[in-house]
Amino acid sequence: MRRTVAALIAIGTTAGLAACTPDTTRGRMEQDVAQTFVNQYAQSLQRQGKPVTRPDVTSTECHNGSNLKQDSGPGTWACEIKYVDPNGKKHDDGWLVLSDALGCYQAFAQDDKLRYHLILDVYSHKKILDPAGSFDGCIDVYSGPKNVSKS
Amino acid sequence: MSMTASVFRVEMRKLLSQSRVRAVLVFLLVAPWIYIGLILHQDRLPLETLYGRYLKDSGFATPLAILVYASQWLLPLIAALMAGDVFSSEDQQGTLKTILTRSVDRTAVFWGKVAAAFTMTIAAVVTVAASATLAGVITVGSDPLVDVGGAVRPASTALGLVAASWATVIPATLGFASIAIMVSILTRSSVLGVIVPVIIGLCMQLYTFLNAWDTVRHLLLGFTMSAWRGLLDSPSYPAPLVRGLVIAAVYLLITTAIGFVAFRRRDVAGG
């Protein structure tokens, strides 16, 4: 009887743990990458001494390259950000996002010209990597959209 | 209380006179300067590390990049080196019997030793945090810091956030110190007292890098040590930090309680 109860508790605990929402979900990734990109774009303009305006992101789609079925978890993500810049020009950029198990990531534009673009920072007078071409980010693993592609 | 304070003062003197402890403190003081010196003398930046891209832009990125590394393996090691033989060294030198026949009771000896080990662990964390911040600000400058949400933080805010970030890893580091103390009491071995917490830290780190159950990862001290990242996001989020503090408190309570009971029940009649 005791063994049966212990086995049931073990099975229940295992099933409970396995059924929990993963930390890095597609929804959280899409939300955070888009929001951080908008902030970094504005920061890029600010650092170049240009009027600060934010791009209008029309859609963001991210997929996990190493967990294709569930579209969740750490690893390499491919994101597509569609946005309209302050001049009204439409953009459709691909991003490579390297996500760690702790919920933080490094995002790089797939276009090397954008990724390695240097700008002159008017504050420090140094040449820095354009924040609109690569940036770091972190997701809150306890809130935000929990959706994955498949469950 | 005065007995505990007496034991604490004696233990602090003993710890500070150990060459191992002094060597650790000197290493923690010097290492950040070497790190940022090497970064500034190379063209490439460690872009794969959080805040690595800002190491040449803002001096406040230095303590944060070092915190990323430190929370992975350095802090458990510091805790183990400071606390791993506070009790077992008495066993090895056969001095426990002498101490316990003096005019201090076991409870005072236990809490005095624990307080000294925790104080030195905190002192070590503060040393590396202060040294890294100074190294960054002096060699790179106090330019504003860009957080992981893309917001620019002015120097005064950035300094506060750096201090708060390092402060958040102290409870989890003390969790490792309490594990070291517990192992030190249970095994009466200084070697195990130092090695076991480091191995536990490495196992936690290994699990963190596996794409395994996230719920289990949230219960590990290693995950708790990364909760500071939420403070530096825009908007910031406190949930990982609050939950992390609870997790660290549970580790502290359980391991300290086990150590206390084992020490109270110990038979030292044989020396």
Side-chain angles (χ1 to χ4, degrees):
Chain A
M1 182 63 184
R2 281 183 182 174
R3 286 182 181 174
T4 309
V5 172
L8 285 173
I9 290 171
I11 291 168
T13 307
T14 308
L17 289 170
C20 286
T21 306
D23 282 356
T24 312
T25 62
R26 180 183 162 190
R28 285 174 180 152
M29 189 59 87
E30 288 174 347
Q31 184 187 55
D32 198 89
V33 167
Q35 181 60 52
T36 308
F37 168 71
V38 168
N39 291 345
Q40 296 284 5
Y41 191 98
Q43 191 217 141
S44 171
L45 294 175
Q46 184 186 4
R47 294 207 146 194
Q48 292 175 78
K50 297 177 181 174
V52 178
T53 43
R54 290 170 186 274
D56 179 21
V57 173
T58 52
S59 75
T60 311
E61 189 174 339
C62 294
H63 293 288
N64 188 317
S66 46
N67 188 355
L68 298 170
K69 188 186 172 193
Q70 259 213 329
D71 241 2
S72 65
T76 306
W77 289 73
C79 292
E80 181 187 27
I81 302 177
K82 292 180 180 175
Y83 67 98
V84 181
D85 71 18
N87 298 320
K89 187 181 174 186
K90 288 183 178 177
H91 295 263
D92 183 353
D93 293 340
W95 288 77
L96 184 71
V97 181
L98 308 176
S99 168
D100 66 26
L102 300 170
C104 289
Y105 61 84
Q106 281 80 43
F108 305 96
Q110 287 179 351
D111 180 355
D112 280 355
K113 277 173 67 179
L114 187 59
R115 178 174 176 174
Y116 297 112
H117 183 230
L118 293 173
I119 59 169
L120 181 65
D121 182 8
V122 295
Y123 298 102
S124 65
H125 306 292
K126 297 173 189 169
K127 278 204 165 185
I128 62 169
L129 275 171
D130 189 346
S134 64
F135 55 84
D136 296 341
C138 289
I139 58 173
D140 182 359
V141 299
Y142 294 116
S143 69
K146 297 176 180 175
N147 59 297
V148 292
S149 286
K150 292 175 185 175
S151 56
Chain B
M1 190 66 192
S2 62
M3 284 195 293
T4 305
S6 301
V7 176
F8 171 76
R9 281 193 295 272
V10 171
E11 290 301 322
M12 284 297 289
R13 275 203 297 273
K14 280 161 67 177
L15 278 170
L16 287 168
S17 66
Q18 287 180 20
S19 52
R20 186 194 67 226
V21 171
R22 288 180 180 179
V24 169
L25 290 175
V26 169
F27 170 78
L28 296 176
L29 210 56
V30 172
W33 294 83
I34 296 172
Y35 174 75
I36 192 63
L38 291 172
I39 292 290
L40 292 175
H41 279 85
Q42 63 181 30
D43 295 332
R44 296 178 69 94
L45 287 164
L47 296 178
E48 71 288 349
T49 304
L50 209 58
Y51 293 100
R53 68 181 60 249
Y54 303 121
L55 282 170
K56 292 185 180 180
D57 300 340
S58 169
F60 299 110
T62 305
L64 295 174
I66 288 177
L67 182 55
V68 173
Y69 299 123
S71 57
Q72 288 172 4
W73 58 270
L74 183 64
L75 296 178
L77 183 64
I78 288 173
L81 287 170
M82 294 297 170
D85 76 341
V86 169
F87 285 88
S88 52
S89 62
E90 306 283 2
D91 288 305
Q92 288 179 343
Q93 292 160 17
T95 48
L96 200 55
K97 187 178 178 182
T98 315
I99 292 173
L100 294 176
T101 51
R102 295 293 177 99
S103 56
V104 286
D105 59 29
R106 286 195 187 203
T107 304
V109 171
F110 179 83
W111 291 115
K113 281 178 173 286
V114 168
F118 282 4
T119 302
M120 285 308 298
T121 304
I122 293 171
V125 175
V126 171
T127 300
V128 67
S131 177
T133 307
L134 279 174
V137 170
I138 290 172
T139 58
V140 182
S142 57
D143 296 302
L145 175 76
V146 179
D147 68 20
V148 286
V152 181
R153 309 283 193 148
S156 56
T157 312
L159 182 62
L161 287 169
V162 166
S165 299
W166 275 90
T168 63
V169 300
I170 287 176
T173 310
L174 292 182
F176 280 109
S178 65
I179 291 172
I181 288 170
M182 179 189 72
V183 174
S184 170
I185 292 171
L186 292 177
T187 64
R188 305 185 185 195
S189 163
S190 298
V191 175
L192 290 177
V194 172
I195 288 179
V196 169
V198 174
I199 290 175
I200 290 173
L202 287 174
C203 289
M204 288 182 179
Q205 200 57 39
L206 193 64
Y207 186 89
T208 299
F209 286 118
L210 292 173
N211 189 12
W213 294 328
D214 295 305
T215 310
V216 174
R217 188 183 301 119
H218 296 173
L219 301 175
L220 303 179
L221 285 173
F223 188 81
T224 301
M225 283 191 181
S226 69
W228 60 273
R229 300 172 183 204
L231 295 177
L232 285 142
D233 209 340
S234 301
S236 62
Y237 40 89
L241 180 58
V242 173
R243 292 179 187 225
L245 290 175
V246 173
I247 298 291
V250 169
Y251 275 87
L252 264 169
L253 280 173
I254 292 174
T255 50
T256 307
I258 293 171
F260 180 71
V261 171
F263 188 69
R264 288 280 296 174
R265 290 182 176 177
R266 175 172 292 183
D267 176 16
V268 291

